[in-house]
Amino acid sequence: MALGQKLERTIKTPGLTLAGEALTLDLCGGVWLAAHRTLIVSDLHLEKGSAFAVRSGQFLPPYDTRETLACLHEAVARFDPACVVALGDSFHDARGPERMEPGDRAMIAALQEGRDWVWIAGNHDQAVSEGVGGRYAETLRLGGLTLRHEPSPEAPDGEIAGHLHPCGKVAMRGRAVRRRCFVTDGRRLVMPAFGAYAGGLNVRNPAFDPLFPAGFTAHLLGDGRVFAIGKAMLTRD
């Protein structure tokens, strides 16, 4: 109860400004750029379950692609974007598209119909050949923003990236909440992983330090709300 009340007193985050561009941080884990009618998602990791089965014989429930695409369908239906940008690691490996069920492939085609669709290359799917629709790019400039998969400490203001799968953890009076989150210092934004099996890295991990040397705010995906939590309130795993 105390933890919930503490979170309720934090700022509800409908959006923020980055490099002069207005961003809406959506509860689904995507970013909506209304001025560009563009929806950005990151790290879908489609076909991760089938990748585990092929590589190690470890059988996970093979429904991660369908669940991830269903969540993406809901966001696309709400925003009706002119463009969708997937910020890399859209497939868990280069052969992911080959293992997709026909129904899942058809769902991607339906989501792409009538809109621009950009697959940004990630470290997991750099070698994915064209064959799932859309177009491919290493990076994408959109107004004052630079969209790429892996964040760089040397990048100019306005970088939006993924790759790190950020999660934030808040603990109080013996209770803890750990959620996927956006992370920003007003100069760059690192997005949460969208994929059902993607997992997450605690934002207090040293991997985030070079990107946010002066601190950051984590925008946790809560139950029905996005909460802005300062670094000082966040705990390690």
Side-chain angles (χ1 to χ4, degrees):
M1 179 68 72
L3 178 58
Q5 292 173 344
K6 185 74 171 180
L7 291 179
E8 288 292 332
R9 289 198 292 270
T10 62
I11 302 171
K12 183 180 179 181
T13 311
L16 54 86
T17 300
L18 197 69
E21 301 282 351
L23 282 61
T24 298
L25 309 183
D26 192 69
L27 192 59
C28 72
V31 167
W32 172 240
L33 304 176
H36 300 277
R37 286 193 60 207
T38 294
L39 176 66
I40 307 170
V41 293
S42 188
D43 294 275
L44 303 177
H45 283 272
L46 302 175
E47 294 301 312
K48 182 173 181 177
S50 66
F52 271 63
V54 169
R55 291 177 182 177
S56 65
Q58 180 180 353
F59 290 96
L60 301 176
Y63 308 117
D64 56 304
T65 293
R66 184 65 52 87
E67 182 177 344
T68 299
L69 291 177
C71 292
L72 185 53
H73 178 274
E74 187 276 333
V76 168
R78 278 191 293 116
F79 290 112
D80 189 23
C83 177
V84 175
V85 181
L87 286 186
D89 286 2
S90 300
F91 295 91
H92 193 65
D93 62 13
R95 304 193 68 175
E98 301 174 24
R99 298 193 303 273
M100 291 183 70
E101 295 289 336
D104 295 337
R105 187 179 289 275
M107 185 178 294
I108 289 179
L111 288 170
Q112 293 173 337
E113 187 173 358
R115 56 180 51 91
D116 188 19
W117 191 284
V118 185
W119 303 103
I120 300 296
N123 57 293
H124 277 256
D125 56 3
Q126 283 182 326
V128 169
S129 60
E130 298 192 19
V132 286
R135 57 190 176 98
Y136 295 78
E138 291 292 326
T139 61
L140 183 69
R141 290 281 298 176
L142 200 59
L145 303 171
T146 300
L147 313 183
R148 59 165 52 93
H149 176 62
E150 190 167 350
S152 169
E154 290 77 35
D157 290 5
E159 179 186 69
I160 299 181
H163 182 60
L164 292 175
H165 301 199
C167 285
K169 182 178 179 181
V170 183
M172 183 185 298
R173 298 182 182 178
R175 184 186 173 198
V177 174
R178 191 181 193 273
R179 298 292 176 88
R180 300 185 188 195
C181 65
F182 302 90
V183 190
T184 185
D185 59 357
R187 297 184 60 246
R188 68 161 44 85
L189 177 77
V190 178
M191 294 185 58
F194 198 92
Y197 282 178
L201 179 66
N202 192 304
V203 292
R204 298 303 301 271
N205 186 284
F208 291 92
D209 294 343
L211 300 172
F212 305 107
F216 58 77
T217 300
H219 300 272
L220 275 64
L221 307 181
D223 295 329
R225 300 178 65 177
V226 178
F227 294 96
I229 310 293
K231 180 179 180 180
M233 283 187 61
L234 298 165
T235 64
R236 302 181 188 275
D237 289 331

